[in-house]
Amino acid sequence: MAKMLGDRSAGERQGIAARAKGGLLVLGGFVAVLFVIEVINFLLTRSLNRTFGLRPRSADGLLDILTFPLLHANLNHLLSNALPLIIFGFLVFLSGIRVFLTALGFSWLGSGLTVWLIGDPGVTVGASGLVFGLFAFLLVRGFFNSSWKQILLAVVLFMLYGSILFGLLPTVAGFVSWQAHLGGAAGSVAAALLLRPRNRTATLAPGNRSGI
């Protein structure tokens, strides 16, 4: 029995290490792509923003939902999103690629649809909706999963980064798109609800244990 528990513990550690390595590669690669796009966009005098930025309530703007988080207004805009995107994305990735892709996809879609429906006139770009989405996912998933480890992580993250939630308020967000932030957060909450264990037995089963 002790040997079996030791093997299982070693296997879990190896699994977490593999997810951590995969998370760094995926998030690092994604942010690297954002910087490459930023350089190209700069060289083209921001013409990519005009072509692929999200235009609210326009028929062809629906396709822009797929591209607008990949573009930024300037380098400082990208830099403000890059680090939290890596941190929050990495922490979500520790629970597995399926969880990460679901949270990211719902954040992306929720952010884009909200901007398209109620966004201010003009063109919206930026990955901040994804940042808010991944952050909100980390804050709420532990309550849906009944996981004290995830709740503890949520408390720590809220203490460190909770002030960014002011970006959800129209009166505080200023020139940034609070609609993108709100939609990304709402999408990720829906993802956390979708990914919750269906029953207590499923939560406790060894094969269904989540990462951090």
Side-chain angles (χ1 to χ4, degrees), residues 52-212:
F52 299 106
L54 180 50
R55 292 151 290 175
R57 295 170 296 282
S58 63
D60 54 349
L62 285 170
L63 293 176
D64 300 330
I65 291 174
L66 302 176
T67 56
F68 86 101
L70 305 175
L71 304 165
H72 289 81
N74 50 53
L75 180 59
N76 287 335
H77 186 201
L78 173 55
L79 290 173
S80 68
N81 285 328
L83 184 59
L85 190 60
I86 290 174
I87 294 173
F88 301 150
F90 173 77
L91 291 173
V92 174
F93 199 98
L94 289 178
S95 291
I97 183 66
R98 173 176 168 269
V99 171
F100 172 75
L101 290 178
T102 303
L104 182 69
F106 273 66
S107 300
W108 198 310
L109 184 62
S111 178
L113 286 176
T114 303
V115 172
W116 190 86
L117 288 170
I118 63 173
D120 297 328
V123 175
T124 299
V125 295
S128 58
L130 306 184
V131 171
F132 272 76
L134 294 171
F135 182 57
F137 182 83
L138 290 167
L139 291 183
V140 304
R141 62 169 180 169
F143 298 95
F144 290 132
N145 297 340
S146 299
S147 169
W148 66 267
K149 290 183 180 179
Q150 293 177 353
I151 292 174
L152 179 61
L153 176 63
V155 171
V156 173
L157 289 174
F158 182 79
M159 294 174 63
L160 293 174
Y161 300 103
S163 60
I164 72 172
L165 295 177
F166 284 113
L168 297 172
L169 303 176
T171 56
V172 177
F175 63 89
V176 300
S177 177
W178 63 270
Q179 297 94 335
H181 301 168
L182 180 63
S188 70
V189 172
L193 186 62
L194 177 68
L195 292 169
R196 75 190 189 284
R198 290 295 180 264
N199 52 58
R200 188 64 178 167
T201 302
T203 304
L204 296 176
N208 288 301
R209 288 177 180 169
S210 302
I212 293 175

Side-chain angles (χ1 to χ4, degrees), residues 10-25:
E12 289 177 353
R13 288 195 298 270
Q14 291 175 357
I16 293 174
R19 290 195 295 271
K21 181 179 179 180
L24 290 175
L25 289 173

